[in-house]
């Protein structure tokens, strides 16, 4: 007999997929010679929200967004890029964050 555990019985835990939405920027960001035209925003987990008040994120407070968005965007936006960003693009990103925080029921109520 082997002392090793049965591999089938100890399958690794899988994480649930994290919802993601893509924002097409009205004014692309320039990164060296490359233009960033789209940014994916994933639903923040609790760790990504550290150091900010949720109500500030729901109100799309620019300081709070500049702390959270670098943690949940792909490509990862820097705070400097967010300070230079077109306000319309920042509102688009902030609205995605706000919708993620509302939960499924609140989102269903909005569409009804």
């Amino acid at each position: 007999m082997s002392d090793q555990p049965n591999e089938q019985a100890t399958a690794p835990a899988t994480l649930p997929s994290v919802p993601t939405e893509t924002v097409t920027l009205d004014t692309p960001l320039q990164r060296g010679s490359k233009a960033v035209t789209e940014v994916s925003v994933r639903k923040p987990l609790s760790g990504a929200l550290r150091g900010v008040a949720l109500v500030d994120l729901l109100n799309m407070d620019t300081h709070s967004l500049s702390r959270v968005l670098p943690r949940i965007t792909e490509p990862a936006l820097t705070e400097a890029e967010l300070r230079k960003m077109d306000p319309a693009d920042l509102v688009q990103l902030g609205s995605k964050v706000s919708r993620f925080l509302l939960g499924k029921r609140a989102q269903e109520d909005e569409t009804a």
Side-chain angles (χ1 to χ4, degrees):
M1 281 202 144
S2 173
D3 290 336
Q4 295 183 359
N6 183 349
E7 289 182 29
Q8 291 177 344
T10 58
T14 57
L15 296 174
S17 65
V18 179
T20 303
E21 292 200 29
T22 301
V23 172
T24 302
L25 301 177
D26 290 341
T27 306
L29 297 171
Q30 203 63 35
R31 281 195 171 170
S33 62
K34 191 174 179 183
V36 177
T37 58
E38 287 187 342
V39 176
S40 294
V41 182
R42 72 179 170 277
K43 182 177 181 174
L45 300 176
S46 297
L49 301 172
R50 66 190 180 281
V52 297
L54 295 179
V55 70
D56 290 341
L57 283 174
L58 289 170
N59 287 327
M60 290 194 280
D61 173 69
T62 55
H63 180 70
S64 296
L65 287 172
S66 70
R67 292 185 70 182
V68 172
L69 284 170
R71 302 172 186 168
I72 62 170
T73 53
E74 181 61 39
L77 300 175
T78 65
E79 288 189 38
E81 289 172 326
L82 290 165
R83 282 193 300 271
K84 295 177 185 176
M85 181 174 277
D86 182 330
D89 292 330
L90 185 61
V91 168
Q92 285 188 82
L93 293 169
S95 68
K96 298 296 183 195
V97 174
S98 295
R99 290 187 72 209
F100 283 140
L101 296 177
L102 290 175
K104 292 178 183 174
R105 282 208 178 126
Q107 290 176 15
E108 289 171 1
D109 290 345
E110 281 184 8
T111 59

